mmCIF file of all heavy atoms in Angstrom:
data_model
loop_
_atom_site.group_PDB
_atom_site.id
_atom_site.type_symbol
_atom_site.label_atom_id
_atom_site.label_comp_id
_atom_site.label_asym_id
_atom_site.label_seq_id
_atom_site.Cartn_x
_atom_site.Cartn_y
_atom_site.Cartn_z
ATOM 1 N N SER Y 11 103.044 109.371 93.869
ATOM 2 C CA SER Y 11 103.003 108.400 95.028
ATOM 3 C C SER Y 11 103.340 109.129 96.289
ATOM 4 O O SER Y 11 102.636 108.932 97.298
ATOM 5 C CB SER Y 11 103.982 107.219 94.787
ATOM 6 O OG SER Y 11 103.816 106.344 95.912
ATOM 7 N N VAL Y 12 104.277 110.072 96.324
ATOM 8 C CA VAL Y 12 104.758 110.810 97.531
ATOM 9 C C VAL Y 12 103.447 111.556 97.961
ATOM 10 O O VAL Y 12 103.132 111.616 99.094
ATOM 11 C CB VAL Y 12 105.905 111.619 97.331
ATOM 12 C CG1 VAL Y 12 106.204 112.599 98.378
ATOM 13 C CG2 VAL Y 12 107.104 110.805 97.032
ATOM 14 N N ALA Y 13 102.941 112.261 97.050
ATOM 15 C CA ALA Y 13 101.790 113.152 97.391
ATOM 16 C C ALA Y 13 100.617 112.340 98.019
ATOM 17 O O ALA Y 13 100.015 112.590 98.827
ATOM 18 C CB ALA Y 13 101.246 113.937 96.139
ATOM 19 N N LEU Y 14 100.434 111.258 97.390
ATOM 20 C CA LEU Y 14 99.389 110.250 97.763
ATOM 21 C C LEU Y 14 99.578 109.815 99.240
ATOM 22 O O LEU Y 14 98.501 109.780 99.882
ATOM 23 C CB LEU Y 14 99.433 109.055 96.901
ATOM 24 C CG LEU Y 14 98.374 108.007 97.008
ATOM 25 C CD1 LEU Y 14 97.005 108.557 96.824
ATOM 26 C CD2 LEU Y 14 98.636 106.746 96.151
ATOM 27 N N HIS Y 15 100.839 109.547 99.645
ATOM 28 C CA HIS Y 15 100.941 109.071 100.957
ATOM 29 C C HIS Y 15 101.291 110.030 101.940
ATOM 30 O O HIS Y 15 101.387 109.739 103.188
ATOM 31 C CB HIS Y 15 102.056 108.011 101.049
ATOM 32 C CG HIS Y 15 101.883 106.757 100.076
ATOM 33 N ND1 HIS Y 15 100.890 105.941 100.245
ATOM 34 C CD2 HIS Y 15 102.363 106.490 98.974
ATOM 35 C CE1 HIS Y 15 100.862 105.050 99.447
ATOM 36 N NE2 HIS Y 15 101.853 105.354 98.631
ATOM 37 N N SER Y 16 101.366 111.356 101.625
ATOM 38 C CA SER Y 16 101.778 112.375 102.540
ATOM 39 C C SER Y 16 101.000 112.551 103.660
ATOM 40 O O SER Y 16 101.422 112.947 104.706
ATOM 41 C CB SER Y 16 101.988 113.673 101.819
ATOM 42 O OG SER Y 16 100.703 114.112 101.264
ATOM 43 N N CYS Y 17 99.685 112.162 103.640
ATOM 44 C CA CYS Y 17 98.790 112.404 104.713
ATOM 45 C C CYS Y 17 98.508 111.150 105.503
ATOM 46 O O CYS Y 17 97.748 111.059 106.427
ATOM 47 C CB CYS Y 17 97.499 113.049 104.252
ATOM 48 S SG CYS Y 17 96.567 111.891 103.128
ATOM 49 N N ASP Y 18 99.264 110.082 105.160
ATOM 50 C CA ASP Y 18 99.117 108.796 105.850
ATOM 51 C C ASP Y 18 99.969 108.611 106.996
ATOM 52 O O ASP Y 18 101.265 108.327 106.789
ATOM 53 C CB ASP Y 18 99.277 107.669 104.712
ATOM 54 C CG ASP Y 18 99.204 106.202 105.341
ATOM 55 O OD1 ASP Y 18 98.719 106.264 106.517
ATOM 56 O OD2 ASP Y 18 99.543 105.315 104.570
ATOM 57 N N SER Y 19 99.480 108.764 108.094
ATOM 58 C CA SER Y 19 100.354 108.764 109.362
ATOM 59 C C SER Y 19 101.052 107.462 109.730
ATOM 60 O O SER Y 19 102.024 107.294 110.402
ATOM 61 C CB SER Y 19 99.573 109.230 110.513
ATOM 62 O OG SER Y 19 98.437 108.303 110.873
ATOM 63 N N SER Y 20 100.528 106.364 109.013
ATOM 64 C CA SER Y 20 101.011 105.007 109.332
ATOM 65 C C SER Y 20 102.218 104.732 108.563
ATOM 66 O O SER Y 20 102.933 103.773 108.833
ATOM 67 C CB SER Y 20 99.901 103.876 109.079
ATOM 68 O OG SER Y 20 99.600 103.859 107.659
ATOM 69 N N ASP Y 21 102.463 105.522 107.534
ATOM 70 C CA ASP Y 21 103.799 105.328 106.799
ATOM 71 C C ASP Y 21 104.744 106.095 107.462
ATOM 72 O O ASP Y 21 104.570 107.468 107.621
ATOM 73 C CB ASP Y 21 103.509 105.729 105.389
ATOM 74 C CG ASP Y 21 102.877 104.563 104.526
ATOM 75 O OD1 ASP Y 21 102.881 103.470 104.967
ATOM 76 O OD2 ASP Y 21 102.199 104.955 103.513
ATOM 77 N N ARG Y 22 105.994 105.633 107.478
ATOM 78 C CA ARG Y 22 107.113 106.394 108.128
ATOM 79 C C ARG Y 22 108.099 106.724 107.076
ATOM 80 O O ARG Y 22 109.369 107.050 107.426
ATOM 81 C CB ARG Y 22 107.608 105.676 109.303
ATOM 82 C CG ARG Y 22 106.594 105.398 110.389
ATOM 83 C CD ARG Y 22 106.087 106.625 111.048
ATOM 84 N NE ARG Y 22 105.334 106.456 112.172
ATOM 85 C CZ ARG Y 22 104.112 106.564 112.231
ATOM 86 N NH1 ARG Y 22 103.427 107.011 111.024
ATOM 87 N NH2 ARG Y 22 103.268 106.271 113.250
ATOM 88 N N GLY Y 23 107.901 106.396 105.817
ATOM 89 C CA GLY Y 23 108.861 106.676 104.777
ATOM 90 C C GLY Y 23 109.557 105.368 104.400
ATOM 91 O O GLY Y 23 109.406 104.311 105.031
ATOM 92 N N ASN Y 24 110.187 105.290 103.180
ATOM 93 C CA ASN Y 24 110.771 104.022 102.646
ATOM 94 C C ASN Y 24 111.751 103.458 103.502
ATOM 95 O O ASN Y 24 112.587 104.106 104.145
ATOM 96 C CB ASN Y 24 111.412 104.384 101.273
ATOM 97 C CG ASN Y 24 110.329 104.652 100.328
ATOM 98 O OD1 ASN Y 24 109.333 104.097 100.360
ATOM 99 N ND2 ASN Y 24 110.806 105.512 99.329
ATOM 100 N N GLY Y 25 111.570 102.082 103.746
ATOM 101 C CA GLY Y 25 112.512 101.386 104.526
ATOM 102 C C GLY Y 25 112.371 101.471 106.027
ATOM 103 O O GLY Y 25 113.080 100.899 106.642
ATOM 104 N N GLN Y 26 111.331 102.073 106.558
ATOM 105 C CA GLN Y 26 111.026 102.241 107.884
ATOM 106 C C GLN Y 26 109.695 101.599 108.327
ATOM 107 O O GLN Y 26 108.772 101.730 107.649
ATOM 108 C CB GLN Y 26 111.071 103.661 108.332
ATOM 109 C CG GLN Y 26 112.392 104.278 108.109
ATOM 110 C CD GLN Y 26 112.432 105.808 108.638
ATOM 111 O OE1 GLN Y 26 111.627 106.069 109.427
ATOM 112 N NE2 GLN Y 26 113.292 106.681 108.050
ATOM 113 N N GLN Y 27 109.687 100.832 109.392
ATOM 114 C CA GLN Y 27 108.400 100.160 109.885
ATOM 115 C C GLN Y 27 107.830 101.052 110.806
ATOM 116 O O GLN Y 27 108.425 101.822 111.663
ATOM 117 C CB GLN Y 27 108.757 98.827 110.628
ATOM 118 C CG GLN Y 27 109.189 97.696 109.649
ATOM 119 C CD GLN Y 27 107.943 97.133 109.031
ATOM 120 O OE1 GLN Y 27 107.329 97.844 108.054
ATOM 121 N NE2 GLN Y 27 107.388 96.075 109.480
ATOM 122 N N ALA Y 28 106.542 101.049 110.770
ATOM 123 C CA ALA Y 28 105.758 101.671 111.697
ATOM 124 C C ALA Y 28 105.526 100.806 112.953
ATOM 125 O O ALA Y 28 105.693 99.672 112.858
ATOM 126 C CB ALA Y 28 104.313 102.086 111.197
ATOM 127 N N LYS Y 29 105.152 101.457 114.148
ATOM 128 C CA LYS Y 29 105.067 100.695 115.203
ATOM 129 C C LYS Y 29 103.797 99.765 115.176
ATOM 130 O O LYS Y 29 102.865 100.200 114.769
ATOM 131 C CB LYS Y 29 104.870 101.594 116.498
ATOM 132 C CG LYS Y 29 104.612 100.862 117.786
ATOM 133 C CD LYS Y 29 104.493 101.847 118.921
ATOM 134 C CE LYS Y 29 104.222 101.167 120.213
ATOM 135 N NZ LYS Y 29 104.088 102.043 121.305
ATOM 136 N N VAL Y 30 104.013 98.550 115.449
ATOM 137 C CA VAL Y 30 102.863 97.481 115.359
ATOM 138 C C VAL Y 30 101.813 97.679 116.476
ATOM 139 O O VAL Y 30 102.328 97.847 117.673
ATOM 140 C CB VAL Y 30 103.340 96.162 115.337
ATOM 141 C CG1 VAL Y 30 102.232 95.108 115.213
ATOM 142 C CG2 VAL Y 30 104.282 95.864 114.095
ATOM 143 N N GLU Y 31 100.598 97.841 116.170
ATOM 144 C CA GLU Y 31 99.628 98.031 117.154
ATOM 145 C C GLU Y 31 99.503 96.850 118.145
ATOM 146 O O GLU Y 31 99.812 95.787 117.714
ATOM 147 C CB GLU Y 31 98.232 98.443 116.597
ATOM 148 C CG GLU Y 31 98.259 99.749 115.774
ATOM 149 C CD GLU Y 31 96.926 100.056 115.160
ATOM 150 O OE1 GLU Y 31 95.985 99.349 115.568
ATOM 151 O OE2 GLU Y 31 96.773 101.015 114.345
ATOM 152 N N GLU Y 32 98.844 97.051 119.278
ATOM 153 C CA GLU Y 32 98.608 95.966 120.135
ATOM 154 C C GLU Y 32 97.609 94.941 119.517
ATOM 155 O O GLU Y 32 96.742 95.432 118.844
ATOM 156 C CB GLU Y 32 98.012 96.454 121.410
ATOM 157 C CG GLU Y 32 99.062 97.335 122.310
ATOM 158 C CD GLU Y 32 100.233 96.655 122.800
ATOM 159 O OE1 GLU Y 32 100.145 95.279 123.061
ATOM 160 O OE2 GLU Y 32 101.261 97.100 122.815
ATOM 161 N N ALA Y 33 97.732 93.822 119.757
ATOM 162 C CA ALA Y 33 96.986 92.790 119.219
ATOM 163 C C ALA Y 33 95.547 92.925 119.766
ATOM 164 O O ALA Y 33 95.275 93.283 120.924
ATOM 165 C CB ALA Y 33 97.438 91.429 119.496
ATOM 166 N N GLU Y 34 94.528 92.609 118.867
ATOM 167 C CA GLU Y 34 93.103 92.728 119.321
ATOM 168 C C GLU Y 34 92.573 91.232 119.256
ATOM 169 O O GLU Y 34 93.121 90.454 118.639
ATOM 170 C CB GLU Y 34 92.408 93.622 118.424
ATOM 171 C CG GLU Y 34 92.747 95.037 118.414
ATOM 172 C CD GLU Y 34 92.098 95.848 117.465
ATOM 173 O OE1 GLU Y 34 91.269 95.374 116.498
ATOM 174 O OE2 GLU Y 34 92.316 97.252 117.427
ATOM 175 N N PRO Y 35 91.466 91.049 120.029
ATOM 176 C CA PRO Y 35 90.901 89.783 119.939
ATOM 177 C C PRO Y 35 90.502 89.511 118.449
ATOM 178 O O PRO Y 35 89.968 90.275 117.777
ATOM 179 C CB PRO Y 35 89.537 89.907 120.749
ATOM 180 C CG PRO Y 35 89.933 91.131 121.663
ATOM 181 C CD PRO Y 35 90.828 91.965 120.913
ATOM 182 N N ALA Y 36 90.713 88.219 118.066
ATOM 183 C CA ALA Y 36 90.466 87.857 116.686
ATOM 184 C C ALA Y 36 89.987 86.380 116.585
ATOM 185 O O ALA Y 36 90.169 85.591 117.441
ATOM 186 C CB ALA Y 36 91.792 87.978 115.833
ATOM 187 N N VAL Y 37 89.376 86.116 115.484
ATOM 188 C CA VAL Y 37 88.854 84.811 115.185
ATOM 189 C C VAL Y 37 90.095 83.971 114.648
ATOM 190 O O VAL Y 37 90.709 84.440 113.788
ATOM 191 C CB VAL Y 37 87.777 84.791 114.056
ATOM 192 C CG1 VAL Y 37 87.453 83.293 113.701
ATOM 193 C CG2 VAL Y 37 86.544 85.572 114.688
ATOM 194 N N ALA Y 38 90.264 82.861 115.213
ATOM 195 C CA ALA Y 38 91.245 81.976 114.776
ATOM 196 C C ALA Y 38 91.044 81.494 113.299
ATOM 197 O O ALA Y 38 89.866 80.715 113.208
ATOM 198 C CB ALA Y 38 91.473 80.894 115.619
ATOM 199 N N ALA Y 39 91.840 81.676 112.380
ATOM 200 C CA ALA Y 39 91.691 81.144 111.027
ATOM 201 C C ALA Y 39 92.245 79.781 110.901
ATOM 202 O O ALA Y 39 93.135 79.342 111.700
ATOM 203 C CB ALA Y 39 92.287 82.083 109.975
ATOM 204 N N PRO Y 40 91.833 78.935 110.103
ATOM 205 C CA PRO Y 40 92.417 77.599 109.740
ATOM 206 C C PRO Y 40 93.977 77.762 109.332
ATOM 207 O O PRO Y 40 94.321 78.840 108.862
ATOM 208 C CB PRO Y 40 91.632 77.015 108.690
ATOM 209 C CG PRO Y 40 90.328 77.765 108.640
ATOM 210 C CD PRO Y 40 90.676 79.158 109.172
#
Side-chain angles (χ1 to χ4, degrees):
S11 178
V12 170
L14 181 64
H15 299 292
S16 61
C17 61
D18 179 11
S19 61
S20 65
D21 280 338
R22 300 293 186 255
N24 288 326
Q26 298 182 21
Q27 282 285 79
K29 181 179 178 180
V30 179
E31 298 183 10
E32 294 296 323
E34 297 176 355
V37 175

